[in-house]
């Protein structure tokens, strides 16, 4: 998973825009994270791919993405919302699997905004036992989400079609094995299907082939290591399972339009953007300290 850990005791709340302060690709490229992520979208609309399933996302949608889940989200230029980064701790896990809740009732929207406001105030206050209090606030958010899921979907989990199960299993393998340099034939064999069947299932659910999914996850990791670390480029090439640094350089150039060294120089030269104000209110969005 990407080197973006959250310490076990640390819960962070920010705007969704702050998650992309090093570049929009930080959300729009397929990747997984070492922490759980809750996104509360308050404006805009776009597309998310979560564990190989393509979903439309709009205002007043809550997305829960557990650690290790392959995902991307693109909310366009007008997208805005709140992100809560939660340590991957069984005691804090909101749900065993990813969730997308479309919250239509204004009262329910206000409830979640109020819970996020309370969490933000606690983190701003930095009083004694703040970690313990923040965890309690996350537990309340968990209860809210489970109640909403029960109200929206009912007590029974929907049956997952076989094709979707295959794609989800492939995405789980990708998060574990994308550095190993495995071929599509090897991935398909691990799943007990043919490469053609695997690719067809992925295209049906995501609009991308299985090879595209693997490529995008690898590209994300390459960009993190190139643009956000000083790891030697040859070491990055070796880490990601490329046969040679030249092949790695061609891969990055093909998908970004820049060589690895050019990407690194550009990232070093660009000034860091200022943090935008965090706003959680739905009806009246007010600046908040973070």
């Amino acid at each position: 998973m990407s080197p973006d850990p959250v310490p076990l005791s640390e819960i962070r709340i920010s705007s969704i825009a702050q998650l992309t302060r090093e570049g929009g690709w930080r959300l729009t490229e397929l990747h997984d994270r070492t922490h759980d992520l809750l996104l509360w979208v308050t404006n805009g609309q776009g597309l998310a791919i979560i564990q190989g399933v393509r979903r439309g996302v709009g205002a007043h949608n809550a997305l829960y993405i557990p650690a290790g889940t392959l995902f991307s989200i693109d909310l366009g230029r007008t997208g805005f919302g709140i992100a809560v980064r939660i340590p991957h701790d069984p005691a804090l896990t909101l749900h065993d699997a990813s969730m997308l809740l479309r919250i239509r009732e204004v009262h329910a929207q206000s409830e979640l905004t109020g819970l996020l406001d309370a969490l933000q105030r606690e983190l701003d206050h930095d009083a004694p036992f703040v970690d313990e209090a923040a965890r309690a606030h996350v537990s309340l958010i968990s209860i809210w989400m489970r109640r909403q899921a029960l109200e929206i979907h009912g007590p029974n989990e929907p049956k997952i079609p076989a094709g979707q199960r295959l794609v989800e299993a492939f995405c789980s393998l990708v998060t574990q094995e994308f550095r190993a340099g495995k071929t599509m034939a090897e991935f398909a064999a691990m799943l007990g299907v043919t490469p053609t069947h695997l690719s067809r299932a992925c295209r049906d659910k995501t609009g991308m082939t299985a090879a595209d999914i693997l490529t995008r996850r690898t590209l994300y990791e390459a960009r993190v290591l190139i643009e956000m670390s000083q790891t030697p480029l040859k070491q990055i090439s070796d880490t990601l399972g490329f046969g040679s640094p030249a092949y790695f350089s061609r891969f990055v150039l093909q998908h970004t339009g820049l060589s690895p060294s050019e990407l690194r120089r550009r990232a070093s030269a660009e000034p860091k953007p200022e943090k935008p104000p965090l706003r959680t209110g739905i009806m009246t969005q007010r600046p908040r300290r973070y």
Side-chain angles (χ1 to χ4, degrees):
M1 285 177 274
S2 303
D4 190 14
V6 174
L8 186 60
S9 62
E10 189 171 350
I11 294 165
R12 300 178 187 170
I13 186 168
S14 68
S15 69
I16 291 177
Q18 286 172 247
L19 296 183
T20 63
R21 62 185 181 272
E22 292 92 1
W25 59 270
R26 292 282 282 161
L27 277 183
T28 59
E29 281 295 350
L30 282 173
H31 66 290
D32 56 283
R33 300 190 173 212
T34 56
H35 54 266
D36 300 344
L37 186 64
L38 170 64
L39 303 177
W40 174 227
V41 180
T42 57
N43 191 63
Q45 60 181 3
L47 183 70
I49 297 174
I50 305 173
Q51 202 69 345
V53 179
R54 185 169 45 189
R55 305 279 183 86
V57 179
H60 307 138
N61 285 187
L63 292 86
Y64 172 64
I65 303 166
T69 300
L70 195 67
F71 82 100
S72 66
I73 180 170
D74 187 352
L75 293 174
R77 293 179 179 271
T78 62
F80 186 83
I82 304 303
V84 184
R85 294 184 285 182
I86 305 164
H88 187 59
D89 177 355
L92 288 176
T93 297
L94 303 187
H95 195 263
D96 293 335
S98 60
M99 281 197 294
L100 172 57
L101 301 176
R102 307 184 195 281
I103 310 303
R104 295 182 170 86
E105 296 293 332
V106 174
H107 176 69
Q109 297 167 10
S110 298
E111 279 185 335
L112 180 54
T113 298
L115 290 168
L116 293 172
D117 274 331
L119 173 60
Q120 182 64 50
R121 286 194 298 272
E122 185 61 52
L123 295 175
D124 283 347
H125 191 44
D126 197 22
F129 315 113
V130 62
D131 289 342
E132 185 177 345
R135 291 166 71 93
H137 283 292
V138 168
S139 294
L140 290 174
I141 293 171
S142 171
I143 292 169
W144 180 90
M145 291 197 71
R146 283 182 280 142
R147 284 174 173 170
Q148 291 299 314
L150 185 63
E151 183 173 329
I152 294 170
H153 302 301
N156 299 319
E157 293 287 340
K159 186 176 181 181
I160 300 176
Q164 181 175 330
R165 290 199 304 271
L166 173 61
V167 175
E168 290 180 352
F170 172 66
C171 288
S172 294
L173 275 181
V174 167
T175 63
Q176 300 165 27
E177 303 285 347
F178 71 90
R179 300 177 186 87
K182 285 185 167 62
T183 65
M184 278 301 106
E186 290 174 307
F187 276 107
M190 294 172 72
L191 294 166
V193 297
T194 66
T196 300
H197 180 66
L198 175 60
S199 193
R200 186 184 301 118
C202 289
R203 187 184 291 278
D204 179 59
K205 292 297 178 184
T206 67
M208 296 182 290
T209 66
D212 291 335
I213 292 173
L214 178 61
T215 293
R216 288 184 59 180
R217 180 62 186 92
T218 304
L219 180 64
Y220 182 92
E221 196 74 6
R223 294 196 67 167
V224 167
L225 294 172
I226 292 168
E227 299 185 38
M228 302 177 66
S229 81
Q230 293 303 312
T231 305
L233 297 179
K234 183 181 184 305
Q235 184 177 334
I236 298 173
S237 172
D238 294 341
T239 298
L240 296 179
F242 286 86
S244 70
Y247 177 33
F248 173 64
S249 184
R250 289 195 299 272
F251 171 84
V252 174
L253 179 63
Q254 177 184 352
H255 294 288
T256 68
L258 296 171
S259 70
S261 56
E262 290 169 333
L263 268 184
R264 178 163 283 175
R265 281 197 298 270
R266 188 182 70 172
S268 299
E270 287 180 349
K272 297 299 182 184
E274 294 183 3
K275 294 181 180 179
L278 173 59
R279 299 171 294 174
T280 56
I282 293 176
M283 304 304 291
T284 57
Q285 296 191 330
R286 58 193 185 280
R288 294 187 58 83
R289 180 173 64 85
Y290 53 87

